[in-house]
Amino acid sequence: MSNIKLGIIGGGQLGSMLCQAAKKLDIKTVIYSDDAEAPAQNFSDEFICAKYNDNEKIYDFAKKVNVITYEFENIPYETLNELNKLKPVSPKPSVNRLIQHRLAEKDFINKLNIRTTRYVHVESKEDLLPLNDFLPGILKTTTMGYDGKGQYPIKNIDQIDSLNINFNNEYILEKLVKLKKEISVIITRFNNNKYEIYEPIENTHEDQILRRSKIPAEINEKIFEQSKEWAIFIAEELKYIGTLCVEFFIDRNDNLYVNEIAPRVHNSGHLTINAFNVSQFENHVRAVCSLEQIPLKKISNAEMINLIGDQIVPYRNNPKISDNQFLFDYLKKDIKEKRKMGHLTTLK
């Protein structure tokens, strides 16, 4: 029986699945979330609801646990840094601070001589006007935003006035590539040159939200190897502990580009729960809690489909699925448009 108590900041579906993985390893979990209805409370041993800047509750949380991790990146750096003085936080707060800022993240990747799409810093409408060479492109807030939030596709300069862009925010404009497909590579780093890496996963997005993920990805051997090499290099440079996802674009000429880094377990890796002997969630818990590293073995090819908004309803009303299918309901109370409510994994 383990005596480890794992603190998890954030109470969404990723937190829920981390709790389930921890339970399998006899590790107790304490969730800290600012959402009173956070679904991870259904799976954790203890739940604390408070603001991320509530110092008293933050200290109480730290006293209850041995190790701390987080399930999403938009947590104030000050909170993580303060917690790290009390108990070890993995991944380390400096990693999260870097990746919270899209411009700093892109600069970091480029300094490693890893290809990204062309990008430019934008602070005002006037900055945008001479940037025809970056169009068509996508304007993104440098901080916050996910699943298409805080993002504006721009085909031509004439569109700018109609997009209602709030220039009180800071942005990065990324030139769109002629996209062939998107893949992601998930890696768990335990220590220097000690890691487990999953094969590249092919992803399909709709309305900038992940819709499907599948393995094997339909890519050539060069991209298969290069995407894994770049993911390893990034994880090593960051001295990362835990599970990390690197998202990639592939253009029509089979050039590979890093799109972004997610310093956490990732939606595209949900299929690892059923398709591998050790899931991305279990590997994350193992890494941050300094547990044994187990060699990865693939069990099956697989496809995962996100259930978004009211797509969950038929499964809640009549959850009949095949023997090779696995349904995950995130137990979110409010069904909202574009909200991830669950997923269905099919082993092939």
Side-chain angles (χ1 to χ4, degrees):
M1 183 74 180
S2 169
N3 291 319
I4 300 171
K5 267 197 176 181
L6 174 63
I8 301 168
I9 305 179
Q13 62 266 22
L14 299 176
S16 298
M17 287 180 263
L18 284 170
C19 289
Q20 290 170 289
K23 190 170 188 178
K24 179 181 169 185
L25 298 168
D26 287 326
I27 290 172
K28 295 206 176 298
T29 51
V30 181
I31 290 284
Y32 187 106
S33 173
D34 64 354
D35 177 6
E37 295 192 342
Q41 66 187 286
N42 297 301
F43 302 93
S44 64
D45 294 287
E46 193 170 341
F47 177 68
I48 298 170
C49 180
K51 299 293 183 188
Y52 294 122
N53 60 359
D54 185 331
N55 287 336
E56 189 178 331
K57 288 289 176 67
I58 284 288
Y59 280 100
D60 288 345
F61 169 66
K63 280 187 224 167
K64 291 174 183 286
V65 302
N66 306 103
V67 182
I68 296 166
T69 190
Y70 43 92
E71 61 117 44
F72 74 111
E73 53 267 55
N74 290 332
I75 302 160
Y77 168 74
E78 294 73 21
T79 299
L80 294 179
N81 196 43
E82 201 55 40
L83 281 167
N84 199 40
K85 295 172 187 174
L86 305 167
K87 296 288 167 70
V89 175
S90 294
K92 58 189 177 182
S94 58
V95 169
N96 200 47
R97 181 169 57 175
L98 171 73
I99 291 169
Q100 277 181 343
H101 198 280
R102 287 190 171 93
L103 184 64
E105 176 191 19
K106 283 275 199 296
D107 288 346
F108 164 76
I109 296 165
N110 279 178
K111 282 173 186 169
L112 300 180
N113 290 319
I114 292 175
R115 189 188 301 116
T116 66
T117 57
R118 289 179 63 209
Y119 62 94
V120 63
H121 188 202
V122 172
E123 294 183 281
S124 67
K125 180 181 174 182
E126 288 67 34
D127 287 349
L128 270 178
L129 298 178
L131 296 177
N132 260 315
D133 195 33
F134 284 82
L135 302 181
I138 183 158
L139 189 71
K140 300 178 180 179
T141 52
T142 53
T143 58
M144 305 297 280
Y146 59 94
D147 289 346
K149 297 177 176 71
Q151 301 186 13
Y152 305 88
I154 303 176
K155 290 182 181 176
N156 56 65
I157 291 296
D158 297 338
Q159 279 184 283
I160 293 170
D161 288 332
S162 64
L163 291 173
N164 296 320
I165 300 165
N166 178 5
F167 283 105
N168 289 324
N169 296 322
E170 188 182 7
Y171 293 90
I172 181 172
L173 178 64
E174 300 174 8
K175 185 173 175 64
L176 291 178
V177 298
K178 292 181 177 174
L179 192 64
K180 182 178 179 181
K181 62 182 59 183
E182 298 178 57
I183 62 170
S184 55
V185 173
I186 290 170
I187 179 170
T188 304
R189 183 178 179 273
F190 287 76
N191 215 318
N192 292 347
N193 294 309
K194 289 189 176 179
Y195 55 84
E196 296 298 329
I197 188 164
Y198 297 87
E199 67 178 78
I201 300 161
E202 184 171 335
N203 301 312
T204 306
H205 288 77
E206 293 174 10
D207 296 325
Q208 295 169 284
I209 300 173
L210 182 66
R211 183 74 178 108
R212 282 185 182 80
S213 297
K214 70 171 186 174
I215 51 171
E218 293 176 30
I219 53 177
N220 63 40
E221 188 65 24
K222 182 185 173 189
I223 287 175
F224 184 97
E225 294 300 333
Q226 188 176 48
S227 62
K228 288 182 22 172
E229 282 171 21
W230 283 358
I232 291 166
F233 192 25
I234 287 167
E236 286 294 326
E237 280 294 312
L238 290 171
K239 295 184 170 49
Y240 195 89
I241 300 296
T243 295
L244 171 84
C245 177
V246 184
E247 300 174 28
F248 296 91
F249 293 145
I250 303 169
D251 73 12
R252 291 176 193 169
N253 296 317
D254 275 343
N255 293 309
L256 188 67
Y257 305 80
V258 170
N259 174 30
E260 58 186 38
I261 304 165
R264 53 175 169 76
V265 288
H266 193 260
N267 191 172
S268 66
H270 291 350
L271 52 74
T272 65
I273 297 171
N274 308 105
F276 288 85
N277 64 323
V278 183
S279 74
Q280 64 161 345
F281 301 98
E282 182 179 335
N283 260 332
H284 184 76
V285 174
R286 286 182 175 278
V288 302
C289 293
S290 303
L291 301 182
E292 180 190 4
Q293 178 181 343
I294 295 175
L296 268 186
K297 290 178 188 168
K298 183 177 174 182
I299 295 166
S300 176
N301 293 334
E303 179 179 46
M304 185 278 305
I305 297 174
N306 269 331
L307 302 173
I308 298 164
D310 58 12
Q311 291 169 353
I312 192 69
V313 174
Y315 293 97
R316 285 182 173 176
N317 291 341
N318 185 18
K320 283 188 179 176
I321 53 174
S322 304
D323 291 343
N324 65 328
Q325 292 184 312
F326 300 86
L327 175 65
F328 294 78
D329 184 340
Y330 302 153
L331 305 181
K332 294 179 180 178
K333 292 179 182 176
D334 293 335
I335 296 176
K336 298 176 185 174
E337 187 184 4
K338 297 190 175 182
R339 191 181 198 194
K340 293 170 184 168
M341 301 299 298
H343 72 265
L344 182 71
T345 298
T346 305
L347 300 185
K348 304 285 188 176

